[in-house]
Amino acid sequence: MNAVDTNVFVYSLDVDDPIKHAKAIELLQRLVTDAGSTVTPWQVAGEFLANLRKRESTKRITAQQVDSHFRNLLAMFPLANPLGSTVPDVL
């Protein structure tokens, strides 16, 4: 199973760094073709949304673009939520 890191999604939008942008797009396209083995961790989704909101607050993207980019992330791969049984009892 593969899990996509936040930076891959961020770089897929970052046209200011064409090399990282191209690599991120290519990686996501490869993973989408075998989507059954790739997930987006819930924390990554939250971090990506925070990054999108920051871009919106600095007028780099619109609220509609935030919505579109976030929906695209959610459509690419299943969202992996942690289960209580997977988190060790540290108390």
Side-chain angles (χ1 to χ4, degrees):
M1 177 181 301
N2 300 306
V4 182
D5 184 71
T6 308
N7 289 328
V8 176
F9 292 113
V10 171
Y11 293 149
S12 75
L13 301 178
D14 189 4
V15 294
D16 294 334
D17 190 333
I19 293 172
K20 287 181 181 178
H21 175 74
K23 286 182 180 182
I25 295 291
E26 190 270 330
L27 175 60
L28 290 172
Q29 288 173 341
R30 270 192 295 135
L31 292 172
V32 164
T33 62
D34 189 23
S37 66
T38 303
V39 298
T40 300
W42 68 273
Q43 181 176 346
V44 167
E47 290 170 350
F48 184 61
L49 182 57
N51 182 276
L52 291 171
R53 292 289 184 211
K54 184 176 179 180
R55 289 169 184 255
E56 178 187 14
S57 72
T58 59
K59 308 278 191 245
R60 292 170 46 194
I61 62 175
T62 66
Q64 292 80 16
Q65 289 171 309
V66 169
D67 185 64
S68 177
H69 291 313
F70 192 69
R71 287 181 186 276
N72 288 342
L73 171 137
L74 295 176
M76 269 190 239
F77 311 109
L79 191 60
N81 294 306
L83 303 173
S85 61
T86 62
V87 178
D89 185 9
V90 293
L91 298 176

